[in-house]
Amino acid sequence: MLRVPEIKLSLAQNERQLPEILSRTLGIRTDEIREWSIYKKSIDARKKDMISFVYSVDFQVDNEDKMLKRLSKKGVIKAESISFKYTPIAEKDSIRPVIVGTGPSGIFAGMVLAELGYNPILLERGKRVDDRVRDVEKFWETGILNTESNVQFGEGGAGTFSDGKLTTLIKDPRCRKVLEYFVEAGAPEDILYVNKPHIGTDILRRVVSNLRERIISLGGEVRFQAKVTDLIIRDGAVAGVVINGADELETDKVVLALGHSARDTFEMLYHSGIGIQQKAFSIGVRIEHPQEMISRSQYGELYTHPRLGAADYKLSGHFDNGRSAYTFCMCPGGTVVAAASEEGMTVTNGMSERARDRVNANAALLVNVTPEDFGSDHPLAGVEFQRCWERSAYEASGGSYKAPAQLVGDFLVDRTSKAFEGIEPSYKPGVVMTDLRKCLPPYVTETMKMAIIEFDKRLKGFARPDAVMTGVETRSSSPVRITRDEELQTNIKGLYPAGEGAGYAGGIISAAVDGIRVAEKIGNWKGGK
């Protein structure tokens, strides 16, 4: 296949016209194009009155080398791809590897190990996704928290209650393999090529269930409500795990595919002598605006065009106090959700369904924090830092799982909010209007103020006085890194940290890729050519 970038279509043009436009652009006949497919698709909205879609298109022709030489001056390149085909290997250990956690890193480590013929055992402390959804919805409606089945814990990990974003900054070719796995499990095919792919939390739940069934069909096993409470270590190597404080499971390979909220597991690992380091992360709030305002700001008067959908944004800045702030996990047409996993603490996150058709848009507005802010050199000091501000948020909202909230206009002048004005908060089980300075460090609120004013210059309306800020968001990434060597193992042989909770990823795709890399290492897989 050959690939041509920068093929533009107006909003009025249809993708079925791509071969004709390709023919005109390259100066070749349409009958010379034997096959074609979209490789990438993005929106160019720099000129609000001339919004267009930009495509990279793969196409097949006869005499490919000759055609490539002829068209190279027009930007045409050979569409090289790396194949990640995992087939059962001839020789492998008889002891089955164990994967702790079924978030993205655990699921995809399990998928690859299953395809390699290792028959992995996946242990998940929470429940299967359908049961988990019921527990989460009960929490949102009643404030009754299940500490083992919530937005953080359960099949699919924290990403199951999110926008299902599949964007990443990493360039690993395995990213494409992850997307292909998702499509095979029922995700929309457009995630293979759109610039900012997302599945949506509603569809992602079904996809996660299908991925589990695929692992089982290949000889793997998935156990729910199976919390790993200890490691069995002999002579500097892992020999097994203890489940729910009682049952022992023998293994010589354990993938620690932990979520970023597995705080009790971090403590167990620390007391077991596993190397753990502090890691920088970010904290802040969720900020909500009308989705209509965001779409109009990004797309101008064409914002209602059905082909454009709900607009998103991504903003960042570095400020005079030495701190940086940025928006994170922006959820167009979504909701702010209660994401606590421990009693007496309030945590927020954002979520969108595939349609992204809710009234509000929300994003995390975060400020960086570093180990110097934690007040201790203990490896788990970042965890305690998170707990401190989550507890403060719980107390600021009256000792319930309602969340503290403040209007942007009040926040900028240090005034306690009394009621919302026009923009209704989407957070369940509800909000308590207050002063967010009660539940965030002063340097965080100071930086957020500067960021709001600066971001308003780039996104008109970002600082509108009635925008709602809901706190606190503390789980942007893991507060620890479980150290590993070039063989991806800890100081204990056979113990493989992977994914976001272990400190090696930041989102669904990068966590999945890291899980795949660990599985390849365990299987001594030499493919990828």
Side-chain angles (χ1 to χ4, degrees):
M1 299 285 280
L2 300 180
R3 179 171 300 154
V4 57
E6 295 292 317
I7 299 294
K8 287 195 174 186
L9 268 64
S10 70
L11 292 179
Q13 292 175 303
N14 192 289
E15 288 177 356
R16 290 192 297 271
Q17 296 175 260
L18 277 170
E20 177 187 341
I21 296 170
L22 199 65
S23 169
R24 260 196 331 264
T25 302
L26 300 179
I28 60 177
R29 300 190 313 273
T30 53
D31 61 7
E32 290 183 276
I33 302 171
R34 296 177 56 193
E35 294 181 19
W36 66 276
S37 61
I38 299 170
Y39 178 71
K40 286 293 182 185
K41 175 184 176 182
S42 60
I43 297 175
D44 184 351
R46 289 173 294 179
K47 296 180 180 179
K48 300 293 189 288
D49 58 341
M50 293 180 61
I51 295 176
S52 60
F53 292 100
V54 182
Y55 295 84
S56 291
V57 180
D58 288 354
F59 63 100
Q60 190 176 69
V61 293
D62 292 325
N63 299 317
E64 185 177 277
D65 291 338
K66 181 179 179 180
M67 189 68 78
L68 178 62
K69 186 176 181 180
R70 172 184 160 191
L71 299 177
S72 61
K73 291 182 179 179
K74 296 188 177 184
V76 174
I77 61 173
K78 193 172 182 64
E80 299 284 358
S81 63
I82 297 177
S83 174
F84 289 90
K85 184 168 182 169
Y86 304 104
T87 55
I89 58 179
E91 296 181 6
K92 57 181 180 292
D93 296 336
S94 59
I95 301 177
R96 301 169 72 182
V98 168
I99 299 170
V100 184
T102 61
S105 59
I107 287 175
F108 285 94
M111 182 69 75
V112 171
L113 285 172
E115 290 187 345
L116 290 174
Y118 277 84
N119 303 327
I121 300 172
L122 282 72
L123 303 177
E124 170 56 55
R125 66 187 294 168
K127 298 180 182 180
R128 68 182 61 233
V129 68
D130 292 339
D131 296 331
R132 180 187 179 198
V133 167
R134 285 190 283 271
D135 290 335
V136 169
E137 290 179 345
K138 180 180 180 180
F139 174 50
W140 291 346
E141 293 297 329
T142 67
I144 299 173
L145 174 67
N146 184 331
T147 56
E148 293 297 334
S149 179
N150 46 61
V151 168
Q152 309 297 344
F153 300 145
E155 185 177 20
T160 304
F161 293 90
S162 69
D163 187 47
K165 288 181 184 63
L166 304 177
T167 53
T168 180
L169 297 177
I170 67 172
K171 303 299 182 183
D172 195 300
R174 295 172 184 82
C175 294
R176 176 76 180 190
K177 183 64 175 177
V178 173
L179 296 176
E180 290 171 353
Y181 276 133
F182 275 128
V183 171
E184 289 168 4
E189 288 192 17
D190 66 7
I191 67 170
L192 293 172
Y193 57 81
V194 294
N195 185 46
K196 297 178 181 178
H198 86 108
I199 297 178
T201 187
D202 48 340
I203 295 178
L204 183 58
R205 296 167 189 175
R206 183 175 71 248
V207 169
V208 164
S209 178
N210 291 340
L211 288 169
R212 177 229 306 157
E213 292 304 318
R214 172 65 176 160
I215 292 170
I216 293 172
S217 73
L218 292 168
E221 180 182 349
V222 184
R223 302 182 189 179
F224 295 102
Q225 296 178 275
K227 180 179 177 179
V228 172
T229 52
D230 206 355
L231 300 174
I232 302 170
I233 300 171
R234 298 193 187 104
D235 300 322
V238 69
V241 297
V242 179
I243 302 171
N244 296 330
D247 300 327
E248 294 187 1
L249 179 62
E250 179 186 2
T251 184
D252 60 356
K253 296 178 182 65
V254 175
V255 180
L256 292 173
L258 310 175
H260 55 39
S261 297
R263 295 166 170 175
D264 47 5
T265 308
F266 294 154
E267 291 171 7
M268 179 271 288
L269 295 173
Y270 170 74
H271 290 299
S272 297
I274 310 304
I276 297 178
Q277 298 174 341
Q278 295 180 349
K279 188 177 76 62
F281 57 99
S282 302
I283 65 172
V285 299
R286 280 273 152 182
I287 185 166
E288 285 189 276
H289 301 90
Q291 180 59 51
E292 181 181 10
M293 183 206 87
I294 301 299
S295 293
R296 183 187 290 270
S297 179
Q298 298 292 64
Y299 296 146
E301 294 306 311
L302 292 171
Y303 78 97
T304 59
H305 196 287
R307 292 187 65 194
L308 291 175
D312 63 3
Y313 62 82
K314 185 176 182 181
L315 303 164
S316 64
H318 191 79
F319 300 96
D320 292 341
N321 63 353
R323 300 274 173 179
S324 60
Y326 61 100
T327 60
F328 173 75
C329 187
M330 192 272 166
C331 297
T335 54
V336 179
V337 300
S341 58
E342 292 180 316
E343 293 180 353
M345 301 183 197
T346 297
V347 184
T348 64
N349 199 359
M351 183 180 80
S352 293
E353 295 179 336
R354 172 69 179 178
R356 290 177 164 176
D357 57 359
R358 301 296 180 93
V359 174
N360 289 356
N362 75 82
L365 175 60
L366 301 178
V367 175
N368 71 301
V369 292
T370 67
E372 287 73 28
D373 298 314
F374 301 161
S376 168
D377 59 2
H378 192 284
L380 302 181
V383 172
E384 293 308 312
F385 182 87
Q386 289 176 325
R387 283 175 168 154
C388 169
W389 298 110
E390 292 169 12
R391 196 175 294 115
S392 296
Y394 183 82
E395 294 168 355
S397 55
S400 72
Y401 291 106
K402 292 185 176 181
Q406 190 174 13
L407 303 183
V408 164
D410 293 331
F411 176 75
L412 292 176
V413 296
D414 297 332
R415 180 174 59 225
T416 299
S417 291
K418 302 299 184 184
F420 53 87
E421 301 172 2
I423 300 175
E424 186 171 346
S426 60
Y427 178 96
K428 291 181 179 181
V431 302
V432 174
M433 305 306 286
T434 184
D435 185 341
L436 289 172
R437 289 180 298 169
K438 295 178 181 179
C439 47
L440 287 168
Y443 51 82
V444 170
T445 55
E446 174 191 32
T447 309
M448 285 166 53
K449 287 179 183 178
M450 291 186 282
I452 289 170
I453 293 169
E454 173 60 29
F455 294 168
D456 189 68
K457 298 174 184 176
R458 306 182 212 167
L459 182 66
K460 186 178 179 181
F462 193 86
R464 59 185 286 166
D466 61 345
V468 179
M469 303 166 66
T470 306
V472 292
E473 175 133 350
T474 54
R475 313 281 182 93
S476 60
S477 66
S478 181
V480 302
R481 176 169 287 116
I482 304 172
T483 56
R484 66 188 188 189
D485 59 21
E486 292 182 357
E487 296 300 310
L488 306 185
Q489 300 179 62
T490 69
N491 52 312
I492 301 300
K493 185 179 178 181
L495 197 60
Y496 297 82
E500 188 163 349
Y504 295 98
I508 292 173
I509 292 293
S510 59
V513 166
D514 199 58
I516 289 174
R517 291 181 62 235
V518 166
E520 291 173 354
K521 183 66 70 171
I522 289 173
N524 196 29
W525 187 74
K526 302 296 186 182
K529 301 298 183 183

